[in-house]
Amino acid sequence: MLGLDTKDTRLLIIVAIMVMAAPILLNPFPADSAMAQFNAGYPDLMQRFVIFGIFAIGFNILFGLTGYLSFGHAAFLGMGSYAAVWMFKLLSYNVVPAILLSVIVAAAFSVVIGYISLRRSGIYFSILTLAFAQMSYALAYSVLTPITNGETGLQVYTNDPQILMGENSPNVPHLFGIEMRGTADLELGAWTFTFGNGYYLAALMMLLSFYISLRIFRSPFGLMLRAVKSNQNRLTFTGVSPKPYTLAAFVISGMYAGLAGGLLAAMDPLTGAERMQWTASGEVVLMTILGGAGTLIGPVLGAGLIKYLENIFSKINDGILHQWFAFMPDGLEDFMVTILHPFIGKGWHLTLGLIFMAIVIFLPGGLVEGGQRIGRLFKRRKTDDASSATTKPAE
Amino acid sequence: MGILEVKGVNKRFGGLQALGDVNLSVAENTVHAIIGPNGAGKSTLLNVLVGKLIPDSGSVMFDGNSVLGRQPYEINQMGISRVFQTPEIFADLSVIENVMIPCFAKRDGAFRMHAIESVGNEKNIREQAEAMLDDVNMLDKRNMIASVMSRGDKRRLEMAMCLVQEPRLLLLDEPTAGMARADTNNTIDLLKEIKEKRDITMAIIEHDMHVVFSLADRITVLAQGTPLVEDTPEKIKGHPKVKEAYLGEAAH
Ligand SMILES: Nc1ncnc2c1ncn2[C@@H]1O[C@H](COP(=O)(O)OP(=O)(O)OP(=O)(O)O)[C@@H](O)[C@H]1O
Ligand SMILES: [Mg+2]
């Protein structure tokens, strides 16, 4: 189906069902229960899951397939956001032109930055991309203030032209009248499920992105990208020029980043230079590696996990910790809170660092490898059972 | 006029004259062996031929066109394939993928953005690759990851990757090094068969004299970067200079 073999079709369908049902699946705890704080099924957070999922899927096409590690992809995400907000300012709050321009702008910049950075490989490539991204950040933060509105950040003002704005057009980002902020609630007993328009737009874009990445992985083009990673020397002596392949991968991943940036702005029509900072570039690297670089579904899982944990850990404060450990004697309670304090709230990056270290050391293939190991464990159990059940083991 | 004409090629590495005034003419559809002691400059010469190194002076013509100044991938597209002294394969891809890549390269050229087609649907390419693997007796290993194979198998795989491109000139840098006797003989048979079946010219570097004398139509002896003699295998066997420079030394 859709040019995919059965296995890939099944994967795509499973992902589609999960994404579509996410508002329900991610809300397992009743709204009033103490566990409700661990729910993730509200539009604001789920939007971040899928948007950063798109970012990571694209990044994986470059890093996972060709092995070129860019440390500057947040620059394209930031450019995408700026482009989208400008479309809101100049045309109207319709997200279609905004998203289109964000992808185009990111593509244009990634051609230039990619062309220059790809003159080097390995660590020098990484440093070049990092340098470009930091330059972009610095420009956005100060020099280009007329375009980016500097420190304040770019947003839409009432006196902006918005030339395509009709009488009845909504005054918030919308898709032909469907407001991104709009939600529909479903109450089922103690549970409340919220379905957001914005989430579903972003989710559909993620499914499309995932599908395209699937096709690229299975294509001759994808095979060449993996050949670049495996042995560039052999590839050149086989009559293939690696440069255009790596540049194409770079631009595709840049466009994915631009799309993610455009969607972020479509969900919330303002943006700032901090989206381009190196920490943001580093985050997508972590997402990809955490989930499993070079795997299809890994980047999405990595993005989801990081954004979920970020949400949980940065919300926890000392007060909540005191509640958790209230059952302990006072001295011990204070001690536990003091120990855990650096890992929560603003200190959540410390936790992320530890998780990342653990994954890289114990599960170098990321979450996907973890899943495969568990799968194999079950399979072995099953075959053990099967062989012990039959008297004559089949050869 | 040979299909490959090397004239007056010099290459220095610092104070070391790796190639000194090398002249070599390889006639079409022959097997030309290049022998010589370790460090004689044999691999360096191949590096010049495939565009990996640029010589300090001299000219290299392939089928009437200069190869100097061209990128390695362009030289390959002209019809020159090379098997390296240490196997250069796509170690973390499967054996069949290793062979399909050169097939795609031959079909699509240096770059083509086939991003929407599926490798699984490319029956032609797969059949071509499988036929080639069958020729080198590796069809049963097609789904193995290349890195886990023995050194001898890696060499055979690399040879298959070169042969599947149907090059006009095949350069082989010690193709049987690290192979067991039986595999060496299989390789000799394979190369003989290829030579009879196709229009192909081969330049082969080899330390194993059994391989050299089974295959070569002509032999060039290289010593300290300079061709000592060039002649037929029979003449080379008895040549006093060769015995002195090479065969005597190789008898250790
Ligand atoms: N890139 C390089 N830089 C510096 N010196 C080099 C380089 N490549 C080769 N040499 C030197 O040039 C000389 C010829 O090397 P080459 O590899 O061509 O020898 P060879 O005839 O292939 O020997 P072997 O039989 O051991 O493979 C050697 O002394 C080697 O150390
Ligand atoms: Mg050598």
Side-chain angles (χ1 to χ4, degrees):
Chain A
M1 202 179 78
L2 296 170
L4 300 174
D5 64 18
T6 25
K7 219 176 124 214
D8 290 341
T9 310
R10 199 185 318 142
L11 178 64
L12 183 64
I13 290 174
I14 292 174
V15 172
I17 291 175
M18 302 280 266
V19 168
M20 287 300 139
I24 298 170
L25 296 177
L26 296 180
N27 250 3
F29 307 113
D32 295 330
S33 68
M35 296 296 280
Q37 58 180 321
F38 294 108
N39 278 339
Y42 51 95
D44 192 42
L45 182 58
M46 288 189 303
Q47 279 161 17
R48 266 181 284 153
F49 288 171
V50 287
I51 292 173
F52 282 92
I54 292 172
F55 190 19
I57 290 172
F59 188 77
N60 189 43
I61 290 174
L62 178 68
F63 174 56
L65 289 181
T66 72
Y68 276 79
L69 177 55
S70 161
F71 262 114
H73 259 52
F76 305 124
L77 181 126
M79 290 169 194
S81 288
Y82 279 122
V85 176
W86 268 109
M87 283 287 99
F88 294 147
K89 286 164 82 75
L90 295 176
L91 300 180
S92 79
Y93 267 123
N94 193 328
V95 297
V96 173
I99 290 173
L100 283 179
L101 190 76
S102 63
V103 175
I104 293 169
V105 165
F109 277 97
S110 53
V111 168
V112 177
I113 294 179
Y115 183 82
I116 299 170
S117 305
L118 286 166
R119 300 179 76 85
R120 291 282 172 272
S121 59
I123 187 79
Y124 299 101
F125 167 79
S126 303
I127 298 288
L128 280 172
T129 52
L130 177 63
F132 271 113
Q134 283 304 89
M135 264 158 55
S136 310
Y137 167 71
L139 286 175
Y141 198 74
S142 55
V143 183
L144 293 178
T145 301
I147 300 174
T148 61
N149 210 14
E151 262 179 85
T152 325
L154 193 64
Q155 50 186 298
V156 184
Y157 298 107
T158 40
N159 59 352
D160 280 332
Q162 300 198 291
I163 51 173
L164 294 182
M165 192 84 146
E167 281 287 293
N168 305 319
S169 302
N171 214 7
V172 288
H174 64 92
L175 178 72
F176 302 110
I178 306 171
E179 291 184 12
M180 291 296 108
R181 282 199 322 215
T183 57
D185 280 355
L186 174 69
E187 306 239 0
L188 270 184
W191 283 268
T192 311
F193 303 114
T194 311
F195 303 90
N197 298 338
Y199 168 70
Y200 277 99
L201 175 71
L204 284 176
M205 292 308 236
M206 196 212 85
L207 285 177
L208 182 68
S209 305
F210 184 70
Y211 171 69
I212 293 173
S213 128
L214 199 56
R215 291 298 295 264
I216 289 176
F217 265 65
R218 301 293 181 238
S219 69
F221 172 69
L223 182 62
M224 288 300 175
L225 296 183
R226 287 192 291 143
V228 169
K229 180 180 184 178
S230 183
N231 189 341
Q232 224 179 108
N233 215 13
R234 173 35 84 193
L235 196 60
T236 51
F237 292 107
T238 304
V240 174
S241 170
K243 278 254 175 67
Y245 282 101
T246 46
L247 183 59
F250 192 94
V251 174
I252 291 171
S253 68
M255 289 165 76
Y256 270 80
L259 173 64
L263 283 170
L264 279 180
M267 300 303 134
D268 191 7
L270 44 89
T271 186
E274 70 288 341
R275 271 191 198 162
M276 299 176 144
Q277 226 176 348
W278 67 271
T279 46
S281 294
E283 199 177 58
V284 74
V285 179
L286 295 193
M287 287 172 179
T288 309
I289 294 177
L290 207 62
T295 65
L296 278 162
I297 194 70
V300 184
L301 298 179
L305 183 75
I306 288 189
K307 285 295 158 192
Y308 178 68
L309 293 179
E310 174 185 67
N311 185 57
I312 298 292
F313 277 92
S314 48
K315 260 197 323 205
I316 300 174
N317 54 30
D318 285 1
I320 295 179
L321 283 185
H322 276 292
Q323 272 177 30
W324 285 2
F325 296 109
F327 65 93
M328 291 180 169
D330 270 358
L332 199 57
E333 180 186 328
D334 289 344
F335 176 72
M336 288 304 289
V337 172
T338 316
I339 293 257
L340 291 178
H341 175 81
F343 296 93
I344 56 167
K346 286 215 164 76
W348 119 262
H349 283 107
L350 192 57
T351 315
L352 176 62
L354 290 176
I355 295 172
F356 185 69
M357 267 158 48
I359 295 257
V360 169
I361 293 169
F362 298 109
L363 267 186
L367 296 177
V368 169
E369 189 191 323
Q372 283 167 345
R373 280 197 201 173
I374 293 171
R376 245 177 281 146
L377 217 64
F378 273 104
K379 236 182 229 158
R380 204 175 309 146
R381 282 239 181 95
K382 249 191 216 156
T383 46
D384 283 355
D385 291 350
S387 55
S388 58
T390 50
T391 39
K392 261 191 287 175
E395 177 56 74
Chain B
M1 204 37 196
I3 189 168
L4 180 72
E5 292 283 341
V6 178
K7 290 222 175 76
V9 164
N10 285 284
K11 181 71 197 175
R12 279 190 160 278
F13 294 119
L16 177 82
Q17 181 90 35
L19 294 176
D21 195 27
V22 175
N23 293 294
L24 182 74
S25 173
V26 178
E28 197 161 0
N29 296 337
T30 61
V31 177
H32 198 120
I34 299 164
I35 63 173
N38 291 111
K42 306 179 296 293
S43 298
T44 305
L45 178 60
L46 289 203
N47 285 344
V48 168
L49 300 184
V50 298
K52 199 176 174 185
L53 281 178
I54 296 169
D56 303 329
S57 61
S59 75
V60 179
M61 304 291 279
F62 174 68
D63 200 24
N65 300 308
S66 174
V67 307
L68 296 186
R70 288 185 206 251
Q71 293 292 321
Y73 72 86
E74 294 172 315
I75 294 173
N76 176 275
Q77 298 274 348
M78 291 167 80
I80 302 180
S81 286
R82 172 178 180 183
V83 174
F84 284 81
Q85 190 165 351
T86 39
E88 291 271 1
I89 54 175
F90 302 111
D92 39 34
L93 303 186
S94 71
V95 168
I96 186 84
E97 284 171 333
N98 266 275
V99 186
M100 285 169 83
I101 289 167
C103 296
F104 279 120
K106 180 147 173 82
R107 188 191 74 181
D108 299 339
F111 173 70
R112 183 159 162 197
M113 194 137 160
H114 258 306
I116 293 302
E117 269 81 291
S118 156
V119 173
N121 293 341
E122 305 277 357
K123 287 222 171 56
N124 268 339
I125 299 275
R126 182 170 293 269
E127 278 163 14
Q128 221 177 313
E130 285 180 346
M132 188 67 237
L133 283 175
D134 202 18
D135 282 351
V136 296
N137 289 326
M138 290 183 78
L139 194 55
D140 52 329
K141 300 198 168 92
R142 68 187 148 211
N143 291 325
M144 265 169 97
I145 297 298
S147 62
V148 304
M149 295 193 305
S150 70
R151 205 175 135 102
D153 278 349
K154 284 181 186 163
R155 275 186 184 292
R156 276 198 294 168
L157 173 60
E158 193 184 15
M159 218 176 303
M161 292 162 70
C162 289
L163 286 172
V164 80
Q165 291 197 304
E166 306 195 335
R168 297 183 59 203
L169 174 64
L170 178 62
L171 306 172
L172 299 141
D173 199 343
E174 304 192 21
T176 66
M179 275 191 192
R181 192 79 242 172
D183 279 342
T184 302
N185 287 335
N186 286 339
T187 305
I188 294 174
D189 292 344
L190 171 73
L191 290 175
K192 273 187 178 159
E193 200 186 308
I194 299 279
K195 181 183 155 189
E196 273 156 31
K197 271 205 293 206
R198 300 184 190 171
D199 289 339
I200 189 169
T201 311
M202 298 189 211
I204 178 168
I205 293 174
E206 191 49 80
H207 282 298
D208 185 334
M209 287 305 135
H210 172 58
V211 178
V212 171
F213 290 121
S214 321
L215 286 169
D217 300 307
R218 284 193 82 78
I219 298 176
T220 295
V221 182
L222 207 63
Q224 289 165 6
T226 310
L228 221 51
V229 277
E230 192 205 307
D231 220 323
T232 57
E234 293 72 37
K235 297 261 177 62
I236 292 286
K237 263 183 202 165
H239 207 289
K241 257 187 173 174
V242 178
K243 277 189 178 155
E244 176 195 318
Y246 184 67
L247 294 179
E249 204 182 307
H252 57 131

